[in-house]
Amino acid sequence: FLLNEFTAPGYFLSILSAFTIGLLMTYFKDRRRSKPNSNRPKSKKRAGIEHVAASKTSLGISTHTACILGCMYLNAVVKGVISCFETLGIQVAQ
């Protein structure tokens, strides 16, 4: 266990992460989903949207899940590219 100016941020973030996970596990409860009111018929537009979202892709997952995974992948990839350009921009600005 070595504590200096280089390791202190890592220890601090580890402790903060453990504290946050502890709070999430003890104080935050999952909400129960209520069933939709089946007395009202769905509109044609809503039925069409749900049909497309539930349809399977060639990967064997629903279109809705594929869109979420695609957005997560795009978010991770673009953040790396943007941070590289920001770093290069600092050198160009000097």
Side-chain angles (χ1 to χ4, degrees):
F1 183 77
L2 178 66
L3 183 64
N4 59 24
E5 66 269 11
F6 301 112
T7 59
Y11 291 134
F12 174 74
L13 288 177
S14 297
I15 292 169
L16 187 64
S17 296
F19 178 71
T20 304
I21 290 171
L23 282 177
L24 286 171
M25 292 177 70
T26 56
Y27 288 106
F28 291 96
K29 304 296 180 203
D30 189 22
R31 292 190 328 177
R32 300 284 177 207
R33 296 187 97 180
S34 60
K35 296 200 178 216
N37 188 359
S38 60
N39 296 339
R40 277 183 35 199
K42 293 181 182 177
S43 67
K44 289 181 182 178
K45 183 177 180 181
R46 172 56 56 191
I49 290 171
E50 289 180 3
H51 174 71
V52 171
S55 64
K56 298 288 184 184
T57 62
S58 59
L59 299 174
I61 57 176
S62 69
T63 305
H64 181 262
T65 305
C67 289
I68 290 175
L69 291 174
C71 289
M72 288 171 57
Y73 176 74
L74 184 65
N75 185 22
V77 170
V78 171
K79 281 188 178 185
V81 173
I82 290 174
S83 65
C84 289
F85 282 122
E86 287 175 353
T87 304
L88 292 174
I90 290 172
Q91 292 176 354
V92 172
Q94 292 176 354

